[in-house]
Amino acid sequence: MVTDFQFIALEKNEFDSFMDLNDEELSLHKAKWMTVDEEPGYPCRVSLEDAKIGERVLFLPYWHHDVDSAYKAIGTVLVREFSQTSKLGVNQVPKMLNHRLLSVKAYDSSNMMVAHDISKGTELELKLKKQFQNSKVNYIHLHYAGPGCFCSAVYRA
């Protein structure tokens, strides 16, 4: 059973239409700009890096699990203003996760959850490989355990 994995960042172009909106227009989408005031603390779902103090991040709702299943879900994401879509290598875990506690949710090909776990970021590689030992697991979604926000999708490599 292949247990190698790959993180898939959100594509920057999904958010291009928001970048030039003013505050009033953003509010119609329940979105707003925030200026980073602590580091770490603002993890970007596009760059898979923590934003730096003084950077602007777009704070908005996002259909991170837009599937035909009871697990269809929307949640908050942060996108750095000048981020580029991250392309991580096989079995590469983003450094921004090392200091975080994560919820690991494994789904099958019918988009139904078949397993779940909690992981410290420093132990995440082993936890992901363990989940992918299960032949039913098609993909994994990670969430930040504290606030519950979507972090990233992980697929078999």
Side-chain angles (χ1 to χ4, degrees), residues 64-65 71 73 102-108 112-119 124 127-128 131-132 137-145 148-150 152-154:
H64 60 84
H65 205 218
Y71 288 103
L102 301 158
S103 169
V104 180
K105 300 176 181 185
Y107 297 90
D108 66 12
M112 294 299 291
M113 190 183 305
V114 294
H116 53 83
D117 203 349
I118 299 291
S119 179
L124 187 58
K127 296 276 187 159
L128 292 172
Q131 292 294 343
F132 281 126
V137 174
N138 193 40
Y139 62 97
I140 294 171
H141 274 195
L142 300 175
H143 292 255
Y144 298 107
C149 302
F150 173 74
S152 182
V154 184

Side-chain angles (χ1 to χ4, degrees), residues 11-126:
E11 291 289 334
K12 176 64 184 273
N13 62 10
E14 289 186 66
F15 305 98
D16 286 347
S17 64
F18 293 96
M19 293 299 158
D20 293 325
L21 298 181
N22 63 38
D23 291 344
E24 185 178 318
E25 292 166 326
L26 284 172
S27 71
L28 297 174
H29 299 279
K30 309 301 184 230
K32 69 177 189 172
W33 285 106
M34 297 173 23
T35 301
V36 175
D37 59 0
E38 76 178 291
E39 190 183 339
Y42 296 76
C44 177
R45 292 7 177 246
V46 170
S47 67
L48 299 180
E49 297 176 350
D50 280 307
K52 306 291 184 205
I53 292 175
E55 275 188 270
R56 286 194 334 158
V57 292
L58 187 60
F59 179 81
L60 73 162
Y62 179 78
W63 282 103
H64 60 84
H65 205 218
D66 195 7
V67 296
D68 187 21
S69 143
Y71 288 103
K72 183 174 184 162
I74 192 170
T76 303
V77 296
L78 298 171
V79 177
R80 294 165 63 203
E81 184 174 17
F82 299 109
S83 62
Q84 297 296 318
T85 304
S86 179
K87 303 289 184 199
L88 296 177
V90 173
N91 298 327
Q92 185 179 356
V93 176
K95 291 178 185 175
M96 74 173 191
L97 301 183
N98 287 344
H99 58 276
R100 291 189 162 95
L101 184 62
L102 301 158
S103 169
V104 180
K105 300 176 181 185
Y107 297 90
D108 66 12
S109 60
S110 297
N111 304 308
M112 294 299 291
M113 190 183 305
V114 294
H116 53 83
D117 203 349
I118 299 291
S119 179
K120 293 179 183 176
T122 54
E123 300 168 358
L124 187 58
E125 180 178 356
L126 294 174

